[in-house]
């Protein structure tokens, strides 16, 4: 049994304190997690610590898309789109088909809108060609066909709609499964462990001093190389290494809303707002996800949230294509915001390059920032290759080759898992099909481990809230096998309670008791 799946925090702290690691990754967002996973696959002794929860900040505040990036075609970045498509298709076919699912997108074309049908038709055709037509052929359809797929679509002035294929996911669940994959490969990880200082040998950074935020225990980790992957906090850590370090990044806030849906949608909407910006309206977790904004952010990264102005902007922009009856404020179940980490420099944040930046500080600490969900594995490999080539070879001379397509835990067809969960019991005691489908699409075959808990204690098969499909077995499994230590870890990132607006005071109290 690996130290960290199911191990308690004191065991993990002891393990972290005992060894000298090849690599210490600070930051358990998607970038830090991906590098940790790749480093463990390459045979390195790697540790990862995170001050909050894994993917607790921006990495669980995305648009939930695994996509080629239709709008990058507009800036002429065909190579980037082709690369994104390759990675998207690998995730959907080989790495995480249980967590990443296909979704059809419509781009509505309105009279007087920023783009005409001919231009968008050519765009979606090229887009689908770059993915080798793996999601069908991009085409233009009639207003009538568009409204059959999205009943809440505004019909006034609708000329046509362009159609293309992409994918979506639950980012929090993909993050948790990636942490699990890293641990399966040999990494040691701990969340809610904050860096309070850096360890130095001479002028070189050789580890970190940490404090467990849950019980105040202080401990340290030694490492030959330290990677700062703290996202919006990257410069805060760089100043721990060198108080005079100049700022290296700037931040852009992206806010989203989740709303109750009044009828099923068979497709998502990508609505052009102007020549460059789009607004998404995406069916997600039986709800509707709307977003996003893109504005410079100068405040404390920990305080980022969706403001009333953000909510107004998102609803107004969605209203270009979605009927008012689907955009009532009382239907909002959740509003959230994250921070994009962009390279420092002049110009507006909306036009800044979305690229990964790697810098090395005066004490030898590497800092990495930027990146996106679709290409997270690719970025992890790229950063690891950069670390392997550093002068003086701090990671040693020979790293094992990383296998091209190691799947995330639970790999399976979600339909097959749901069917087995549903048929496995006596007809009178069968699992609710909605509960079975929810488990299958968030855990893959690990859903059978969750279901086993119900066999031992039937009360765990009950729904946490009557209006949602999450059950008590998921909360127990999150506590015992997925590093969930706080109520938010469970309601916001291990289940769908928060996004559905079901994390009531009563639910939160009961989960707090369960976490004990």
């Amino acid at each position: 049994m690996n130290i960290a799946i199911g191990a308690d925090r004191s065991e993990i702290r002891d393990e972290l304190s005992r060894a000298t690691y090849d690599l210490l990754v600070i930051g358990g967002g998607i970038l830090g997690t991906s590098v940790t996973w790749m480093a463990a696959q390459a045979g390195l002794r790697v540790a990862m610590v995170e001050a909050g929860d894994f993917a607790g900040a921006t990495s669980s505040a995305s648009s939930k898309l695994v996509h080629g990036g239709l709008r990058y075609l507009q800036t002429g970045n065909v190579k980037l789109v082709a690369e994104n498509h390759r990675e998207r298709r690998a995730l959907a076919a080989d790495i995480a088909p249980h967590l990443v699912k296909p979704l059809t997108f419509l781009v509505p074309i309105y009279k007087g809108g920023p783009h005409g049908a001919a231009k968008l038709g050519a765009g979606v055709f090229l887009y689908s060609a770059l993915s080798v037509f793996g999601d069908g052929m991009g085409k233009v359809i009639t207003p009538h066909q568009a409204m059959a797929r999205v009943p809440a679509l505004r019909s006034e002035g609708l000329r046509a709609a362009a159609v293309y294929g992409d994918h979506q996911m639950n980012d929090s669940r993909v993050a948790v499964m990636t942490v699990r994959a890293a641990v399966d490969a040999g990494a040691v990880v701990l969340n809610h462990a904050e860096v309070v200082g850096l360890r130095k040998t001479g002028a070189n950074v050789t580890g970190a001093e940490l404090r467990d935020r849950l019980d105040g225990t202080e401990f340290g980790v030694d490492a030959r190389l330290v990677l700062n992957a703290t996202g919006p906090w990257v410069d805060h850590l760089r100043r721990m290494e060198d108080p005079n370090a100049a700022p290296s990044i700037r931040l852009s806030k992206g806010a989203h809303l989740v709303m109750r849906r009044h009828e099923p949608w068979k497709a998502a909407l990508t609505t052009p707002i102007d020549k460059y910006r789009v607004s998404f309206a995406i069916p997600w977790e039986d709800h509707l996800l709307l977003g996003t904004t893109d504005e410079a952010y100068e405040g404390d990264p920990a305080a980022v949230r969706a403001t009333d102005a953000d909510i107004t902007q998102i609803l107004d922009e969605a209203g270009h294509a979605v009927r008012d009856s689907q955009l009532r404020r009382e239907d909002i179940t959740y509003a959230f915001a994250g921070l994009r980490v962009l390279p420092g420099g002049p110009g507006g944040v909306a036009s800044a390059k979305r690229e990964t930046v790697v810098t090395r500080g005066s004490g030898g600490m590497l800092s990495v920032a930027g990146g996106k969900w679709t290409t997270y594995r690719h970025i992890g490999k790229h950063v690891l290759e950069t670390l392997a080539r550093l002068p003086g070879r701090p990671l040693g001379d020979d790293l094992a080759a990383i296998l091209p397509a190691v799947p995330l835990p639970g790999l399976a067809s979600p339909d097959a898992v749901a069917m087995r969960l549903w048929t496995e019991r006596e007809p009178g005691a069968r699992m609710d099909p909605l509960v079975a489908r929810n488990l299958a699409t968030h855990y893959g075959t690990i859903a059978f481990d969750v279901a086993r808990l119900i066999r031992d204690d039937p009360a765990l098969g009950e729904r946490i809230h009557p209006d949602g499909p999450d059950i008590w077995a998921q909360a127990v499994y999150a506590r015992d096998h997925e590093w969930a230590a706080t109520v938010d870890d469970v309601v916001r990132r291990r289940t769908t309670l928060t996004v559905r607006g079901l994390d009531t005071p009563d639910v939160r109290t009961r989960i707090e008791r369960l976490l004990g």
Side-chain angles (χ1 to χ4, degrees), residues 82-103:
E83 187 180 282
N84 288 352
H85 271 315
R86 235 189 349 266
E87 200 51 29
R88 170 178 74 90
R89 296 190 58 71
L91 282 168
D94 307 318
I95 313 296
H98 50 315
L99 305 171
V100 172
K101 68 174 206 185
L103 185 62

Side-chain angles (χ1 to χ4, degrees), residues 79 159 181 232 246 268 343 349 456 483:
K79 184 168 165 283
R159 289 273 175 86
V349 287
D456 299 338
W483 306 279

Side-chain angles (χ1 to χ4, degrees), residues 225-239:
L225 188 63
V226 175
L227 180 71
N228 166 15
T230 53
W233 291 270
V234 72
D235 284 341
H236 167 73
L237 209 64
R238 286 176 64 246
R239 284 191 294 274

